[in-house]
Amino acid sequence: MTKRNKEVLTMIKVDLITGFLGSGKTTFIRKYASYLVEQGMKVGIIENDFGAINIDMVMLSDLDSEMCDVEQIVGGNVETDWKRRFKAKLIAMAMQGLKRVVVEPSGIYDVDAFFDVLYEEPVSNWYEPGNIFTIVDARVEDDLSKQARYLMTSQIANAGAIVFSKAQEATPEQILESIKRLNGMLEEFHSNRTLTDEVITKPWNELTPEDYEKLLNCGWHSADHEKLWFDHNDAFTSLFFMNVHMAADQVKGTVEKLFADKKCGQIFRVKGFFPQTDGSWIEVNATRDNFSMKTIEQAQEVVIVIGQGLKEDVCILPSLNKCIDKKRKIVYNCIK
């Protein structure tokens, strides 16, 4: 197909939302997709969580409507599997009249895989890259592993906009220090990019239509960086707990104990759903510095713990065991 024919067809732009585990990608998608729909755009969202159970898909299910199609890629932690499933999903969505597709892969993800799929036929006949956003916690940790620093580098190197999450909880000094750390990561892996005014530090509840228009047209960068070869699934693990019954007033303390107990390994995120005796559900989304809990009407009975070097036989199961219904089967799976 010639370039002229592609233009006549009006290519569907695909926006990629990257960011490390627990950075706030799903929350950002909710705001960004809602803005696009308000502008009259028909939007598709493709979700792929880290691990075998897609909790983030459940968290976005209320957006599913005539103007917003929420889809998922199941599993796909191996890059070749993800690329194959992503390609198949885009082909299936090509004739739905979408103006834009927003993709949230796992927080453990190499951006090159995104371009590999979009530039391959027949996907390239319908789609083209739009924007790349990288969501970063405004208080970047100073003790990330080398693998984690590399993954963050690979994401911010290509982003048209780096969007700080939880900026309202960070001081101006912490925000400046975070930008310095990100530039330090780019330098560590010999990137030819330095972050300047493409870092969005405004709290999300203060974003204006002008801010969203800027995001909508930020594009992406082609920046080089040194490759670090390692198996992402060996470096990062996810533990799944099914049928966890816990009262709302117990949840926060239990989750905080998991993050505080160093024997557990380095926990990046705890998220999931707890059924309550009145038929409602508690949705939990927590990182080391932030804890969010709200009541919802319907969910999936699962809790997931994501991190590095997790010691499930030493710490994770005992930490939750006292809150699990003994009459039910305890199921967990460590993805390696």
Side-chain angles (χ1 to χ4, degrees):
M1 182 177 290
T2 66
K3 181 177 180 182
R4 178 174 298 176
N5 286 335
K6 286 185 179 181
E7 291 174 348
V8 170
L9 286 175
T10 308
M11 303 290 280
I12 304 167
K13 291 188 180 295
V14 184
D15 294 337
L16 180 66
I17 315 294
T18 69
F20 204 55
L21 297 162
S23 61
K25 298 186 302 298
T26 306
T27 302
F28 178 79
I29 284 182
R30 179 180 296 280
K31 291 182 174 293
Y32 182 63
S34 296
Y35 172 78
L36 297 179
V37 170
E38 288 172 2
Q39 306 312 301
M41 297 186 197
K42 188 173 183 180
V43 180
I45 298 175
I46 299 178
E47 270 286 339
N48 176 210
D49 210 349
F50 178 67
I53 301 174
N54 198 330
I55 288 180
D56 287 345
M57 173 72 177
V58 180
M59 293 178 173
L60 288 173
S61 60
D62 63 306
L63 290 179
D64 204 3
S65 65
E66 183 179 347
M67 292 295 290
C68 186
D69 180 22
V70 182
E71 300 282 348
Q72 68 174 324
I73 300 174
V74 179
N77 293 325
V78 178
E79 183 176 299
T80 53
D81 290 345
W82 186 89
K83 289 164 68 173
R84 174 173 51 82
R85 294 170 184 177
F86 179 40
K87 178 180 179 180
K89 185 63 68 175
L90 287 175
I91 292 172
M93 297 173 73
M95 301 305 167
Q96 295 182 13
L98 302 174
K99 294 296 184 182
R100 215 165 192 101
V101 173
V102 181
V103 181
E104 180 189 1
S106 156
I108 300 168
Y109 177 75
D110 195 319
V111 177
D112 289 345
F114 172 73
F115 291 104
D116 289 345
V117 173
L118 288 187
Y119 290 144
E120 181 179 341
E121 291 189 344
V123 173
S124 60
N125 294 332
W126 304 303
Y127 297 94
E128 63 182 358
N131 306 304
I132 297 182
F133 308 114
T134 299
I135 313 303
V136 178
D137 192 306
R139 294 169 294 183
V140 176
E141 297 180 27
D142 61 358
D143 60 349
L144 294 174
S145 68
K146 186 173 184 178
Q147 293 99 324
R149 296 196 306 274
Y150 166 75
L151 287 169
M152 190 171 287
T153 297
S154 72
Q155 294 171 358
I156 62 177
N158 295 109
I162 291 83
V163 185
F164 274 6
S165 62
K166 313 171 190 104
Q168 69 278 5
E169 301 171 10
T171 65
E173 292 76 17
Q174 287 174 320
I175 288 177
L176 290 175
E177 181 62 29
S178 291
I179 296 174
K180 181 180 178 180
R181 285 175 183 162
L182 294 178
N183 279 322
M185 295 177 199
L186 290 167
E187 184 177 353
E188 177 184 1
F189 293 99
H190 305 103
S191 176
N192 57 354
R193 185 179 185 188
T194 301
L195 302 180
T196 53
D197 58 356
E198 60 270 63
V199 182
I200 309 299
T201 62
K202 181 183 290 189
W204 293 355
N205 62 353
E206 297 178 10
L207 293 175
T208 65
E210 290 74 21
D211 293 323
Y212 280 111
E213 281 301 307
K214 180 179 179 180
L215 289 169
L216 190 58
N217 295 284
C218 71
W220 52 278
H221 286 257
S222 179
D224 295 328
H225 60 82
E226 177 186 323
K227 291 287 187 180
L228 179 65
W229 300 106
F230 64 97
D231 188 330
H232 297 177
N233 298 305
D234 284 340
F236 303 93
T237 54
S238 56
L239 303 176
F240 298 92
F241 300 90
M242 310 297 291
N243 306 320
V244 181
H245 286 197
M246 190 182 306
D249 59 358
Q250 295 176 297
V251 174
K252 189 172 189 289
T254 301
V255 171
E256 288 176 344
K257 287 179 181 178
L258 288 176
F259 281 104
D261 192 344
K262 299 300 182 183
K263 292 183 294 183
C264 291
Q266 187 175 11
I267 297 177
F268 297 131
R269 192 177 184 189
V270 177
K271 57 182 178 178
F273 309 95
F274 299 85
Q276 302 298 291
T277 56
D278 63 358
S280 66
W281 292 79
I282 295 296
E283 176 189 307
V284 169
N285 198 344
T287 61
R288 186 184 303 178
D289 298 319
N290 290 273
F291 180 88
S292 171
M293 183 171 72
K294 65 180 180 180
T295 302
I296 57 176
E297 294 184 0
Q298 189 174 1
Q300 182 177 3
E301 200 166 348
V302 61
V303 178
I304 178 174
V305 178
I306 306 174
Q308 221 172 347
L310 299 183
K311 306 294 193 302
E312 73 276 8
D313 56 336
V314 175
C315 181
I316 300 295
L317 282 174
S319 295
L320 290 176
N321 198 43
K322 63 183 179 180
C323 301
I324 295 179
D325 185 345
K326 297 294 187 179
K327 295 181 180 179
R328 301 193 179 206
K329 184 179 180 182
I330 300 172
V331 180
Y332 82 90
N333 182 28
C334 184
I335 305 299
K336 290 185 177 178

